Amino acid sequence: MSATETATNTGRIEEIQGVVIEAVFPEKLPEIYNAISVVFTGQSGEEQTLVCEVQQHLGDNRVRAVAMDTTDGLARGMEVVDSG
């Protein structure tokens, strides 16, 4: 495999509305129904991973995804990783 095949597709959170997030992926949009994940420090101080499912491509390199758990602790600008 080449370096480009093993590289992860990352983006940034742009907007959070309840359990719906919008993220920008400048390199390549994740496919619909792909899982994207955010690793962050929760309120308890522990590292947590939130998994979201891509529901829609919005244009301008943006996707809309639904979180599988609460979005408490997320902030704009956090890194999001496409599961591929």
Side-chain angles (χ1 to χ4, degrees), residues 9-12 23-30 60-62 80:
N9 186 23
T10 60
R12 298 266 175 219
V24 172
F25 285 83
E27 297 293 319
K28 178 180 179 264
L29 286 179
D60 295 328
N61 296 326
R62 291 172 76 104
V80 181

Side-chain angles (χ1 to χ4, degrees), residues 7-75:
T8 56
N9 186 23
T10 60
R12 298 266 175 219
I13 294 176
E14 288 288 312
E15 192 173 336
I16 306 163
Q17 296 177 350
V19 295
V20 177
I21 69 162
E22 291 184 9
V24 172
F25 285 83
E27 297 293 319
K28 178 180 179 264
L29 286 179
E31 296 295 324
I32 302 289
Y33 304 124
N34 268 17
I36 57 176
S37 59
V38 185
V39 177
F40 65 100
T41 304
Q43 294 175 346
S44 62
E46 296 178 12
E47 189 174 273
Q48 297 179 336
T49 302
L50 175 65
V51 177
C52 305
E53 183 180 84
V54 175
Q55 295 294 312
Q56 189 176 19
H57 291 163
L58 301 174
D60 295 328
N61 296 326
R62 291 172 76 104
V63 297
R64 182 171 287 146
V66 176
M68 299 295 127
D69 201 356
T70 181
T71 56
D72 292 346
L74 293 188

